[in-house]
Amino acid sequence: MSLMRGYADDLPLMIWLNEHIWPAEAKHVSPAFVADGTRLAMAEMLRSGTTTFADMYLAPEAVGDVLEQGIMRAQLCTPLIDFPTPWAANFSDGLELTQALYERYRHHPTITLAFGPHAPYTVSDDSLTRLSEAQKRLGLSIQMHVHETADEVEQSLEQYGKRPLRRLLESGLLGPHFQAVHMTQIDDDDLAILQDSGTQVIHCPQSNLKLASGFCPVARLQEAGVNVALGTDGAASNNDLDMFDELKSAALLAKGVSGNAAALPAMAALAMATRNGARALGLGERIGQLSQGFAADLIAVNLQAINTLPVHNPASAIVYAMNSRQVSHVWVDGKCRVNEGELMDIDLNQLISMVTEHQRAMAGISQPGEAS
């Protein structure tokens, strides 16, 4: 969705989706559009120090084609939803396409596959049952937008007589393999479900703030032993993929929401962006920390800058003062992808030209030499 950055802003979630994003996707999205958007996103993420990302979007085969260059590590989530999309005719069709992608990537060194059901309000009970059966058969992770807004929870209570998380539990979906993205609405029963099931929570503070969706109670979740990882959500609702920006927001928001200045200290926030993220994606034994036997996914940052000096505490400097422009080097699987702040594998001029073409097309502007 990087090519939709700034396309529709300052709107609540459901108006943003129903009246702007979904119609734009129906008009503009194609495999080539998704592939180009992936290239833009990868360039932004690498420049800002991200080595691994999780993506849930249309045309996952196109994303996979880009990922097969091995420039970044990724979890590829297949978009599963009850109504027709440019990728699948329905939920069952999406499960069959996921099976095919599973065969393609089951042994890939840097691509892992996951189910990506959109949200409880776009997936029926029958589809949830089929998803549970498929998960048990293939053993893949599941990523889903859950409890993103209060309206989502209220609508579920009206339609099903239960909160979305309870419905997912009763469908047999929750567990350490389940990545619940957002979770801004959590009551005592929800907390107990997350705690008992070992479900992963992915916190996207800036997107939740921008869409006025609510606040994930990170401190409370961590006190209960729930693993909380850090994400950005998409560039259309954030509007960037800068994890250092997200890191500071998460640390500050946790303090404000809890009323406790000691909530989510700097080292704990760093863990959310590294070790906890790897664990949430089921990759905790391969990446997420500098340790013998782990993949060489690492970055170097320059703290000798006016905004981070003096460095009394490196973790504090990174979380509260640093910006992503201070990322100097990025290695993925031992290969240098950013050297002295410069992308090694992506032609920046070519990328900018490509993005400009898409921008003109979405605005209905003819390319030079074309008839208007």
Side-chain angles (χ1 to χ4, degrees):
M1 297 185 79
S2 291
L3 290 174
M4 294 186 179
R5 190 196 322 269
Y7 188 80
D9 286 327
D10 307 321
L11 298 164
L13 175 64
M14 296 316 297
I15 293 176
W16 178 79
L17 274 177
N18 288 309
E19 298 182 20
H20 298 273
I21 297 302
W22 284 343
E25 288 176 335
K27 184 176 181 179
H28 298 291
V29 169
S30 66
F33 183 96
V34 172
D36 287 344
T38 301
R39 293 183 182 97
L40 174 61
M42 288 172 60
E44 180 186 359
M45 287 187 286
L46 284 170
R47 283 276 293 268
S48 56
T50 293
T51 62
T52 300
F53 67 93
D55 184 62
M56 180 204 297
Y57 200 53
L58 306 170
E61 291 92 347
V63 180
D65 289 341
V66 177
L67 287 173
E68 285 185 14
Q69 299 172 29
I71 297 173
M72 293 185 74
R73 192 182 304 275
Q75 174 186 269
L76 186 58
C77 306
T78 56
L80 303 172
I81 198 166
D82 278 347
F83 52 78
T85 69
W87 186 59
N90 51 45
F91 198 93
S92 295
D93 185 33
L95 287 178
E96 292 180 8
L97 292 168
T98 301
Q99 174 77 48
L101 277 178
Y102 170 74
E103 298 300 334
R104 177 176 171 182
Y105 291 121
R106 60 190 304 180
H107 301 300
H108 199 282
T110 56
I111 302 173
T112 54
L113 195 68
F115 295 106
H118 173 255
Y121 55 86
T122 55
V123 180
S124 67
D125 283 344
D126 287 344
S127 294
L128 292 179
T129 298
R130 289 195 291 271
L131 176 60
S132 179
E133 294 168 351
Q135 193 283 324
K136 290 178 175 63
R137 184 173 69 254
L138 299 181
L140 299 178
S141 295
I142 300 172
Q143 184 177 107
M144 191 178 206
H145 305 92
V146 184
H147 287 213
E148 187 171 358
T149 65
D151 286 347
E152 172 195 335
V153 176
E154 291 171 8
Q155 289 173 15
S156 180
L157 287 169
E158 292 176 4
Q159 184 174 359
Y160 299 102
K162 63 192 72 171
R163 293 167 71 86
L165 197 67
R166 168 66 61 180
R167 183 169 158 244
L168 295 173
L169 176 70
E170 293 176 359
S171 297
L173 289 172
L174 299 186
H177 60 273
F178 193 97
Q179 303 156 16
V181 183
H182 299 301
M183 293 304 300
T184 70
Q185 315 294 317
I186 298 177
D187 66 9
D188 290 343
D189 185 53
D190 297 327
L191 184 62
I193 290 173
L194 293 169
Q195 190 175 30
D196 294 344
S197 65
T199 293
Q200 317 289 338
V201 171
I202 315 296
H203 178 35
C204 301
Q206 290 193 348
S207 176
N208 296 151
L209 286 168
K210 184 166 179 283
L211 293 169
S213 298
F215 313 107
C216 178
V218 173
R220 190 177 178 210
L221 288 168
Q222 292 192 327
E223 287 171 4
V226 177
N227 184 50
V228 183
L230 188 64
T232 60
D233 207 1
S237 65
N238 184 295
N239 288 12
D240 62 48
L241 304 177
D242 187 330
M243 283 287 280
F244 280 100
D245 201 21
E246 211 76 32
L247 188 60
K248 182 175 182 178
S249 295
L252 297 181
L253 190 61
K255 301 174 193 308
V257 169
S258 66
N260 176 11
L264 197 62
M267 281 301 293
L270 276 174
M272 284 178 58
T274 53
R275 184 177 59 215
N276 294 10
R279 178 181 168 192
L281 299 185
L283 299 172
E285 296 182 358
R286 296 170 56 191
I287 61 171
Q289 56 185 296
L290 301 181
S291 185
Q292 185 174 357
F294 278 61
D297 291 9
L298 60 151
I299 70 174
V301 300
N302 175 21
L303 297 183
Q304 298 301 303
I306 292 173
N307 55 294
T308 44
L309 288 173
V311 184
H312 292 298
N313 182 314
S316 172
I318 290 169
V319 174
Y320 299 121
M322 196 191 114
N323 62 64
S324 61
R325 292 187 298 276
Q326 292 168 254
V327 173
S328 62
H329 295 76
V330 176
W331 293 267
V332 179
D333 210 24
K335 300 177 181 65
C336 186
R337 302 303 185 188
V338 175
N339 184 31
E340 297 292 349
E342 299 297 326
L343 292 164
M344 301 296 291
D345 306 283
I346 298 172
D347 185 320
L348 203 53
N349 290 328
Q350 187 179 62
L351 181 69
I352 292 170
S353 176
M354 172 270 291
V355 171
T356 301
E357 289 180 12
H358 282 290
Q359 178 186 352
R360 291 174 63 89
M362 293 181 73
I365 300 172
S366 300
Q367 301 297 326
E370 293 181 349
S372 58

